[in-house]
Amino acid sequence: MDSNNKNGLHPFMLNSIPKSGTHLLKQILLGIPGMQHHPDKGMFGHYQYQTAKHLENIRNLSHNEFANGHLFYTSEWESFFNELKLKQIFVLRDPRDIVVSYAYFIPTLPIHPLYSTFQQEGFTHKDRIKFLIEGGQPITKTKYVQPDVSEWFTSFSKWSERENVFTVKFEDLTSSHLKRIQTVHRIVKFLWDEQPVPFTRPVMVGKMIQNINPETSPTYRKGKIGGWKEEFDKELITLFKQYAGQLLIDLQYEKNMNW
């Protein structure tokens, strides 16, 4: 892959924390005229567990194409992307809303390591949320142990500290039309950098935003900001503060522990 702009935009990665708005970003990026994305090229898990075909798919991405995944930060992944000169758009969301969304989603996904745990008799929706906050050992015999919410979230969000990574907050795309326009403008600037943008930047931003259609998302449930307030009782609020109160402050979702 070369970065010659004659052939279009250099390929890039869309990486996200699960349940943080991946499909919304896909729609925005596919609003770029000529942009391609093939779901079968998705990347998940640690670098050392990838098949040769998975890695080859990324090496062979063409111009005007992006791949997506849910990838923990590791130096191996960083070196791989740097070698290919792949920029990365990284998506995160309020960890409380992620926990709620994940608690609904996992029981619908039999291949998930926590599926059996979450579907066991008597295991309530609140139990699922508590498990995702505290972490723990699944009931199935597996080496997989769910870390607590802060450790789990941070294993992804370390990407936001790396070079050639543009971090997008889900809330910046959904809180207001103005904020959405500003954020997509920044995405365009990040992707094209000093290269000329087809059409103009405002026209490109308009095309990307016009491609949004939440109803077509296969995993879309509510996708709203602050949904956790309808799900967290006092016990869950106290528990979340214990495990990830500081994380919320660091991410600027809260100013202090008084929420």
Side-chain angles (χ1 to χ4, degrees), residues 87-133:
K87 292 181 177 181
Q88 180 186 143
I89 294 174
F90 175 71
V91 192
L92 55 79
R93 183 184 185 186
D94 187 323
R96 293 164 294 191
D97 281 331
I98 287 180
V99 162
V100 169
S101 184
Y102 219 26
Y104 279 109
F105 181 64
I106 290 172
T108 71
L109 193 68
I111 62 170
H112 196 281
L114 296 180
Y115 177 79
S116 297
T117 304
F118 278 25
Q119 288 286 45
Q120 65 183 301
E121 189 175 350
F123 207 70
T124 66
H125 179 63
K126 181 177 177 178
D127 291 332
R128 293 165 182 159
I129 292 176
K130 285 181 69 174
F131 191 94
L132 290 171
I133 295 172

Side-chain angles (χ1 to χ4, degrees), residues 231-247:
E231 310 265 353
F232 278 27
D233 58 16
K234 287 184 179 180
E235 181 188 359
L236 290 176
I237 288 173
T238 300
L239 196 64
F240 203 97
K241 287 178 181 179
Q242 177 187 337
Y243 280 92
Q246 187 59 47
L247 175 67

Side-chain angles (χ1 to χ4, degrees), residues 16-65:
S16 58
I17 301 178
K19 311 313 295 176
S20 63
T22 311
H23 195 75
L24 175 60
L25 259 294
K26 278 186 186 179
Q27 290 186 336
I28 289 170
L29 294 171
L30 286 170
I32 298 171
M35 183 57 64
Q36 298 292 313
H37 169 68
H38 301 283
D40 60 336
K41 295 183 182 180
M43 305 293 287
F44 308 94
H46 291 289
Y47 179 84
Q48 61 266 34
Y49 300 142
Q50 304 303 313
T51 65
K53 182 173 182 357
H54 273 134
L55 297 176
E56 204 58 31
N57 280 340
I58 305 304
R59 288 194 177 95
N60 291 332
L61 289 173
S62 61
H63 282 76
N64 290 329
E65 182 180 6

Side-chain angles (χ1 to χ4, degrees), residues 27-28 31-33 199 202-212:
Q27 290 186 336
I28 289 170
I32 298 171
F199 314 102
V203 170
M204 182 62 74
V205 169
K207 288 178 180 293
M208 293 165 74
I209 289 175
Q210 285 166 12
N211 203 49
I212 296 172

